[in-house]
Amino acid sequence: FMFSSNSGKTLVKHTILICGYGPAIGHAMALKFGQEGYPVALVARNAQRLADGVAALRANGIQAQAFVADLSDVRQVQQAIVDARSAMGTIGVLHWNAFVDVDGDLLAVSVDDLRLGLSLRVVSYIAAVQESIRDLEATGGAVLATNGVTAFHGPEIDIFAKDFGVLAIPAAAQHKATGLLNQTLVPRGVY
């Protein structure tokens, strides 16, 4: 997502907001975009993990700031975006990386964990897009979502995914939500 003008001059790079920051995918995204010159806003529940992430990014010369929020709470999602925008400027990229890491088949898992998974992967995700949409439209920005193979349907995948029901069902719902968002966002100039 290197936004350049026709003259070849690099345009302003707006903040990437990484919701569901962690030491793996979230950190890799923060590092990659930060090295490309994007200011990086990290959002997650774990304040220590966020502080460690910001320190690691800043040690690499990356402008980064943390915002603590429980991403299963829509109001906290919205407030984190408002706070990030206020502190770091316009949101140009929204990366949704939140999920519930619980194993178990659908008869063994807690329905509360399943509800939490759906809330994180669909409800809060859509709330984050809604809260960011004006910025994303203004910048010709992007919405990126982390997902996995359990989101897809097929006998081989279902055999594998049967022991990961809390991951698989919300992942499939998020996959559908992302497809629908794509159809809604592209006409608005958002990737």
Side-chain angles (χ1 to χ4, degrees), residues 15 41 65 67 79-91 135:
T15 301
Q65 202 166 339
F67 303 89
Q79 189 61 54
I81 294 169
V82 168
D83 293 346
R85 180 185 300 120
S86 176
M88 301 188 75
T90 306
I91 307 299
D135 288 5

Side-chain angles (χ1 to χ4, degrees), residues 64 97 137 178:
N97 189 47
E137 287 175 326
T178 300

